[in-house]
Amino acid sequence: MQNEQRLNGFGSLKAIFFDMDGVIYDSMGNHSVAWSKAFAALGLDFPLEQVYMNEGRTGSSTVQMFFQEKLGRKATEEEISFIYDRKSQFFEAMPAPVPIIGIKLLLERLSREGIAIWVVTGSAQELLLEGLCSDFPGLVHKEKIVSAKDVRFGKPDPEPYLMALRKSGFRPEEVLVIENAPLGVESAKAAGIFTLCINTGILADEILWQSGADEVVKEVEEVERLIFKE
Ligand code: MG
């Protein structure tokens, strides 16, 4: 199997680029509720499945996508701020998302094995970004995070992953991306990186395969088994 051959080549693995929401934190439930409530404040319906389909976009891109698709026009700067500010308020008022089961053990093992850890996220949520370094001390470092604040286009554009390649100095073949969302997979694949998907959300595996994932698994443990060939 082509994927197995490629995964067996992970002897040259030097870094893993992690997506954050749905990969490091079990945060997508909170994001979904927050987005739905924010759109509802304008009388607009943003169904749960659509939140998951659009996961990875920056906040403004999410609002723009919705306006184009549902209302057939661009959102104004005021509308983007109105909705995104509310989304952030709703999100921050909720209980803090917990780490995905097994993720800390994986990060610790990678660190022991000398494999670099980078985070590449479409999020700009201050609390989550700040929490990363304090929740995973010595494992996640501020200078190894590419967030929505660093990019112009964001996922599904390859920009965020290309930026992580440039900043880290690794070549695509030395890196593995771990994603959970279709647009994140598209972004990583367009940057030329092998992409493993953990399906922690509500979408069918088929949607993740269709977005170009090289492998789709259910749990972090399976990721660990694939990387370390156990
Ligand atoms: Mg994600």
Side-chain angles (χ1 to χ4, degrees):
M1 198 175 94
Q2 195 189 354
N3 285 349
E4 261 173 30
Q5 279 170 8
R6 178 68 208 264
L7 285 165
N8 281 336
F10 278 174
S12 60
L13 183 66
K14 293 195 175 151
I16 297 189
F17 294 172
F18 288 87
D19 171 51
M20 180 175 71
D21 290 301
V23 171
I24 293 180
Y25 288 112
D26 191 1
S27 45
M28 279 309 295
N30 283 11
H31 281 295
S32 306
V33 172
W35 273 121
S36 294
K37 280 177 146 182
F39 277 102
L42 285 178
L44 302 168
D45 179 36
F46 195 21
L48 193 64
E49 192 176 42
Q50 268 210 303
V51 178
Y52 279 87
M53 285 302 289
N54 284 284
E55 184 194 344
R57 286 187 194 279
T58 61
S60 63
S61 165
T62 302
V63 177
Q64 279 300 8
M65 177 281 312
F66 180 96
F67 268 66
Q68 284 294 357
E69 218 173 279
K70 298 283 170 93
L71 307 175
R73 68 170 174 88
K74 280 188 162 186
T76 63
E77 286 303 317
E78 290 73 29
E79 285 167 329
I80 292 172
S81 303
F82 180 89
I83 295 173
Y84 191 61
D85 288 352
R86 264 151 202 78
K87 188 258 170 175
S88 300
Q89 285 163 13
F90 287 128
F91 186 86
E92 288 178 8
M94 285 185 243
V98 295
I100 292 276
I101 292 170
I103 198 72
K104 193 161 189 183
L105 286 175
L106 175 62
L107 295 177
E108 284 168 350
R109 181 152 182 199
L110 294 173
S111 176
R112 279 199 306 274
E113 305 269 349
I115 296 170
I117 296 162
W118 281 70
V119 178
V120 181
T121 175
S123 178
Q125 298 289 337
E126 283 295 345
L127 284 182
L128 278 187
L129 292 172
E130 280 170 22
L132 268 174
C133 301
S134 51
D135 285 348
F136 305 100
L139 299 170
V140 177
H141 301 276
K142 206 175 170 193
E143 67 277 9
K144 293 182 183 172
I145 299 172
V146 174
S147 80
K149 296 170 184 172
D150 302 308
V151 298
R152 186 158 164 226
F153 304 110
K155 303 171 189 178
D157 193 278
E159 182 192 21
Y161 284 109
L162 289 175
M163 184 175 287
L165 285 173
R166 198 172 64 242
K167 282 189 170 179
S168 67
F170 294 116
R171 296 193 308 272
E173 59 271 25
E174 296 172 324
V175 175
L176 166 69
V177 164
I178 304 183
E179 265 287 350
N180 71 311
L183 299 185
V185 173
E186 279 181 37
S187 168
K189 291 302 295 176
I193 310 174
F194 190 93
T195 305
L196 213 154
C197 212
I198 313 183
N199 190 0
T200 56
I202 63 164
L203 300 177
D205 283 357
E206 197 50 35
I207 292 175
L208 299 164
W209 285 114
Q210 280 165 7
S211 67
D214 292 294
E215 194 63 72
V216 179
V217 299
K218 279 279 174 216
E219 293 172 336
V220 172
E221 267 190 9
E222 292 174 73
V223 176
E224 200 168 337
R225 281 200 295 271
L226 285 169
I227 296 171
F228 298 105
K229 304 177 198 95
E230 292 164 345

